[in-house]
Amino acid sequence: MQKGLISRYITFQILKSLKNEKINYDSIYLKIIKNKKISSSDIKLIQNVVLTSMRYNLEIDKILKIYVKKINKNSNSYFLILSSIAQIVFLNFKDYAVINSSVEIAKNKKFLKIYPAFINGLLRNIARNKKKLSKIKVSFSMLPQWFIDQTKNWNEKQKTNFVKTIKNEPDIHLVFKTSKDLDKFKLPSIRTTKNSLIIKKTTKIENLPKYREGVWWIQDFSSMMPLFLLDEKNSKKVLDMCAAPGGKTIQLICDNAEVISYDKNKNKVSIMKENLRRLNFQNEIINKDSLKINSRNKFDIVIIDAPCSSIGTIRRNPEIFYRHSSPNFQYITSIQYKFLNKAKNLVKNNGIIIYMVCSFLNIEGENQIERFLYNNKNFSLKKFFSKNHDINELINEKGFFKTHPTNFRNKFFIDGFFAAKLQKND
Ligand SMILES: C[S@@+](CC[C@H](N)C(=O)[O-])C[C@H]1O[C@@H](n2cnc3c(N)ncnc32)[C@H](O)[C@@H]1O
């Protein structure tokens, strides 16, 4: 097969899997690309086309409705057309190159039940009108029904801003071991705290200064903030119940806490080991189910960074809206609550539980905490607080830390996140 065509085949294989499987972009990408000889420029191309096809999926469906009466959204043809339109209209690639390769792929009857002449005609038509088509807008009401149901309390402004901002490329947020390390970092950046900054993506992460020396790691601003705001970690005995790939554990190590980290996912544990090694930390990570930890063990602080819908990371994981199925809220919320119930027996009296999810939906955040406090009268809510005005804006009147992807969007892009601080009182 021609070299350029291989990456286009892979692109639509990935798009097809993401539509149907409950797997995230990074995992599917590793699964499909592994064992294939692909150059780094082709990998970049595949990534760019897949992410753009998913981010503009609704706009592309709207375009398709203008030109095609009916299309099976699970057919190989659909994925080929989806990625071709993304390239022509939203990535502004050379029309003829995209059209030629799409027609070549359409000639392979093993994969596609579509006439090459149809693909040719359709894409030429679209290419002719691409300027106009690139202005097509989608509204909040076109987002998946499960999401609309979960955000009934949003006003019109929140809805419009959300739809606009989720198309943006996410920013990269680096957290440094110390503020001295940050001061030595000379690339253009926006400082977010004394030891973190945002850079606009310019190069491969591995090529950024001091990557190999291990003085910084990547962690979103929102995800870093709850532990950043937590005082008195020094020498405290801390349990991180859902630790991999390691962001929160690393923060705790840097703050001289005595951390015990658990994660039951073997692959994620290997990634975390690699992250710790690069940063020159020798800490162990225990590859076991933390819900089975013996409750005779007691900790000053228990961290729950629970599995969730990940909707707060929608910019980085556009498959959340693109895939056919919705998150399984019944399962997710039940496991989140199990972590809270387990943590209450693992924390010492006067100790703290930090509950976090990378989601801004009440069902995974506020509701879980309110239910927990109702059922456990010996726990009380402690408010997060920051002296920094902008950060304090992210703490609501109840004291929860809560961000939306729309916060700070005129300066830089952050994920949606939720965190609550609970104290055991007896
Ligand atoms: C949101 S991620 C954690 C991110 C991590 N705290 C960080 O900052 O990089 C949730 C993690 O929980 C882990 N997990 C889910 N159920 C678990 C269980 N019963 N015991 C231990 N880890 C679990 C998953 O494997 C996943 O890595």
Side-chain angles (χ1 to χ4, degrees):
M1 193 190 295
Q2 248 175 283
K3 205 174 145 275
L5 292 188
I6 298 178
S7 49
R8 291 202 154 85
Y9 267 114
I10 294 175
T11 303
F12 84 88
Q13 262 179 315
I14 296 180
L15 282 170
K16 188 170 182 176
S17 306
L18 285 170
K19 193 79 169 170
N20 296 301
E21 289 175 42
K22 283 241 159 143
I23 187 163
N24 69 10
Y25 172 70
D26 290 336
S27 323
I28 198 84
Y29 165 81
L30 283 178
K31 195 171 126 187
I32 293 187
I33 302 241
K34 219 165 75 186
N35 307 327
K36 291 198 173 74
K37 276 194 189 140
I38 305 171
S39 68
S40 57
S41 62
D42 277 347
I43 291 180
K44 221 170 145 189
L45 173 81
I46 294 169
Q47 187 165 356
N48 198 5
V49 176
V50 168
L51 288 172
T52 307
S53 305
M54 293 197 292
R55 286 195 184 117
Y56 288 92
N57 176 231
L58 292 173
E59 283 84 349
I60 295 173
D61 279 354
K62 228 172 154 180
I63 293 175
L64 266 177
K65 275 201 185 124
I66 305 174
Y67 295 95
V68 184
K69 266 198 197 125
K70 215 175 144 190
I71 187 153
N72 172 358
K73 286 207 190 157
N74 228 352
S75 62
N76 284 349
S77 319
Y78 172 74
F79 298 107
L80 175 68
I81 295 171
L82 170 69
S83 62
S84 306
I85 299 180
Q87 292 169 71
I88 296 172
V89 179
F90 297 102
L91 286 167
N92 215 6
F93 286 1
K94 291 196 176 82
D95 305 342
Y96 68 86
V98 180
I99 298 172
N100 287 351
S101 57
S102 305
V103 169
E104 276 312 302
I105 292 173
K107 284 180 186 164
N108 187 340
K109 292 294 160 215
K110 259 198 247 156
F111 284 90
L112 296 173
K113 291 190 177 49
I114 196 165
Y115 293 112
F118 167 76
I119 288 280
N120 190 28
L122 172 68
L123 296 182
R124 271 178 204 284
N125 254 335
I126 288 174
R128 230 173 279 130
N129 297 306
K130 70 174 176 184
K131 214 167 167 192
K132 196 174 85 198
L133 294 174
S134 69
K135 297 202 174 82
I136 275 189
K137 294 269 174 290
V138 298
S139 59
F140 189 84
S141 63
M142 290 172 75
L143 296 181
Q145 191 56 47
W146 65 262
F147 184 73
I148 296 174
D149 292 343
Q150 293 296 339
T151 48
K152 284 209 171 96
N153 53 339
W154 283 17
N155 60 36
E156 284 311 308
K157 199 169 163 205
Q158 277 176 298
K159 292 179 182 175
T160 322
N161 287 340
F162 181 77
V163 172
K164 269 194 219 156
T165 196
I166 56 172
K167 304 274 184 253
N168 297 118
E169 278 250 347
D171 282 327
I172 297 177
H173 189 248
L174 305 186
V175 187
F176 289 74
K177 282 179 172 171
T178 65
S179 45
K180 273 193 195 142
D181 290 326
L182 180 144
D183 291 339
K184 291 182 204 145
F185 189 86
K186 295 299 177 210
L187 283 188
S189 58
I190 307 168
R191 209 166 163 143
T192 54
T193 68
K194 65 179 170 49
N195 57 346
S196 62
L197 50 78
I198 288 268
I199 48 162
K200 301 282 167 185
K201 197 173 180 177
T202 50
T203 170
K204 267 172 85 176
I205 300 296
E206 294 81 3
N207 295 339
L208 286 173
K210 304 276 179 201
Y211 172 81
R212 261 163 257 288
E213 287 86 340
V215 297
W216 52 259
W217 65 97
I218 292 185
Q219 186 178 15
D220 190 74
F221 170 84
S222 308
S223 138
M224 155 211 189
M225 208 35 70
L227 295 192
F228 179 81
L229 295 175
L230 187 68
D231 308 322
E232 308 128 26
K233 283 159 284 187
N234 199 338
S235 311
K236 286 278 161 69
K237 202 176 161 199
V238 185
L239 170 68
D240 187 349
M241 294 183 81
C242 302
K248 316 289 180 309
T249 288
I250 296 165
Q251 279 185 281
L252 292 162
I253 298 172
C254 291
D255 286 332
N256 300 316
E258 198 190 300
V259 202
I260 310 284
S261 309
Y262 274 74
D263 201 289
K264 76 168 188 186
N265 183 310
K266 204 169 152 212
N267 289 338
K268 287 193 169 183
V269 166
S270 326
I271 298 173
M272 178 158 172
K273 282 187 176 158
E274 183 48 37
N275 288 341
L276 289 170
R277 200 198 48 75
R278 183 181 69 82
L279 292 161
N280 304 310
F281 293 129
Q282 265 83 49
N283 301 59
E284 284 287 311
I285 154 131
I286 302 165
N287 187 194
K288 281 191 182 151
D289 184 344
S290 57
L291 291 170
K292 294 193 179 140
I293 299 175
N294 188 322
S295 299
R296 278 198 303 263
N297 296 307
K298 299 286 178 208
F299 298 85
D300 299 305
I301 304 171
V302 177
I303 308 287
I304 309 170
D305 191 8
C308 67
S309 66
S310 303
I311 185 65
T313 66
I314 184 69
R315 280 198 201 91
R316 285 184 280 126
N317 296 297
E319 66 273 12
I320 299 170
F321 280 163
Y322 165 78
R323 70 165 63 99
H324 277 313
S325 58
S326 62
N328 184 344
F329 283 111
Q330 207 181 350
Y331 171 75
I332 301 172
T333 52
S334 113
I335 184 133
Q336 288 163 349
Y337 202 74
K338 277 188 191 154
F339 276 110
L340 280 164
N341 259 339
K342 180 71 193 177
K344 74 182 183 194
N345 298 319
L346 291 166
V347 70
K348 291 179 186 168
N349 288 345
N350 298 316
I352 295 280
I353 298 176
I354 305 284
Y355 171 85
M356 296 177 263
V357 275
C358 48
S359 166
F360 46 78
L361 300 177
N362 290 347
I363 189 174
E364 302 182 84
E366 284 91 330
N367 296 4
Q368 296 281 41
I369 298 305
E370 273 155 18
R371 178 177 161 210
F372 179 79
L373 289 172
Y374 181 81
N375 291 328
N376 297 279
K377 300 285 187 235
N378 56 335
F379 277 83
S380 57
L381 191 64
K382 301 301 263 182
K383 291 187 173 189
F384 281 102
F385 173 74
S386 170
K387 284 187 199 131
N388 178 305
H389 174 262
D390 288 343
I391 295 175
N392 220 21
E393 289 282 290
L394 305 173
I395 299 166
N396 68 17
E397 61 289 353
K398 288 187 182 150
F400 296 131
F401 173 83
K402 185 164 179 177
T403 58
H404 289 88
T406 43
N407 290 122
F408 298 159
R409 67 190 183 287
N410 298 327
K411 295 186 217 149
F412 48 82
F413 300 126
I414 63 169
D415 287 345
F417 206 78
F418 172 88
K421 187 161 46 159
L422 304 161
Q423 182 164 19
K424 189 172 183 174
N425 293 322
D426 56 5

